[in-house]
Amino acid sequence: AAMAHGHGPGRCRCCGEEAAERGAAWGLYLRIDRQRLQCLNERREGSGATVFRPWEERRDRSQFVESDDDEELLFNIPFTGSVKLKGVIVMGEDDGTHPAEMRLFRNIPHMSFDDTAKEPEQTFSLSRDPLGELEYPTKIARFSNVYHLSMYFPKNFGAETTKIFYIGLKGEWTEAHRHEVTICNYEASANPADHKLEQITPQTH
């Protein structure tokens, strides 16, 4: 009976839930500060931002970014808090315009192409992924406190320009407390102090 159930409607619902969960896991695009998002060497201004969208919409081929002068693309991605980046998907065409390499840099705001000579946190050799199915896992220890991510695509599979349809970012987001620092410090230091007084008072008597 269990097997029959497994192949019945239950399985479809389960698949639907899995897809929803998977989509939620790739929700870091919601945590990008889009006002400050930059894509250098994009042919059409603002097109770089369109590749960060819901996982379910990754196959929408009307939205993409294409490089302009050569095959290089550089994304500067500020987040609205602190991110633990766990995985990346890069989806392109099944041809020479698909990026062949990706280098990730952490917490270097306003990176330029000159800065890409620095040692990246992690480098990936990419495979052509026209369906957005390949997930590249990051070294989580290196990407556990990211407030700004730079993604550099130095080359493709031989075309003059590089085309990217979708970039998926998977991970966890925590709110930044930079603005409420004074309040947080006050609250954080007030509570332990109360406990210390209780502990010390009996001993001094």
Side-chain angles (χ1 to χ4, degrees):
M3 275 182 69
H5 174 78
H7 290 283
R11 196 175 72 132
C12 301
R13 190 168 64 247
C14 175
C15 288
E17 279 170 23
E18 271 174 33
E21 268 175 37
R22 180 135 194 229
W26 294 92
L28 280 185
Y29 72 94
L30 292 167
R31 306 302 186 181
I32 293 172
D33 182 350
R34 289 187 178 262
Q35 300 298 313
R36 290 165 43 229
L37 174 70
Q38 281 183 315
C39 179
L40 304 187
N41 198 35
E42 59 183 5
R43 178 170 289 184
R44 199 174 75 252
E45 194 178 335
S47 57
T50 67
V51 304
F52 300 97
R53 56 180 187 269
W55 184 76
E56 298 80 14
E57 295 173 20
R58 67 194 183 286
R59 295 181 184 173
D60 172 7
R61 297 208 163 257
S62 67
Q63 302 187 77
F64 62 88
V65 60
E66 187 172 2
S67 62
D68 192 13
D69 295 331
D70 52 27
E71 71 273 35
E72 291 178 277
L73 279 171
L74 174 61
F75 293 88
N76 281 317
I77 307 158
F79 294 105
T80 56
S82 174
V83 163
K84 181 188 283 185
L85 184 67
K86 296 181 174 180
V88 180
I89 289 176
V90 179
M91 183 181 141
E93 289 278 25
D94 195 6
D95 63 17
T97 63
H98 195 295
E101 187 180 298
M102 170 174 68
R103 298 179 197 169
L104 300 183
F105 299 85
R106 179 179 78 104
N107 300 344
I108 310 175
H110 311 297
M111 262 190 88
S112 67
F113 284 109
D114 293 339
D115 297 323
T116 58
K118 294 178 183 175
E119 184 69 26
E121 298 292 334
Q122 198 169 351
T123 301
F124 299 85
S125 290
L126 303 180
S127 300
R128 288 187 188 141
D129 184 16
L131 298 176
E133 293 172 334
L134 299 177
E135 179 181 336
Y136 298 94
T138 60
K139 295 172 182 165
I140 295 175
R142 293 191 181 184
F143 294 98
S144 61
N145 182 21
V146 181
Y147 59 85
H148 186 284
L149 177 70
S150 297
M151 309 180 80
Y152 174 47
F153 299 93
K155 57 186 180 183
N156 58 26
F157 286 96
E160 283 182 19
T161 59
T162 297
K163 229 174 179 182
I164 297 174
F165 286 94
Y166 169 80
I167 294 178
L169 301 174
K170 182 168 91 170
E172 297 165 17
W173 175 84
T174 46
E175 204 167 340
H177 289 295
R178 267 180 265 173
H179 300 301
E180 309 98 56
V181 167
T182 46
I183 304 165
C184 290
N185 286 352
Y186 172 74
E187 286 173 0
S189 54
N191 298 342
D194 296 343
H195 296 300
K196 271 187 208 145
L197 285 174
E198 286 164 21
Q199 288 159 6
I200 294 165
T201 312
Q203 291 169 352
T204 47
H205 284 298

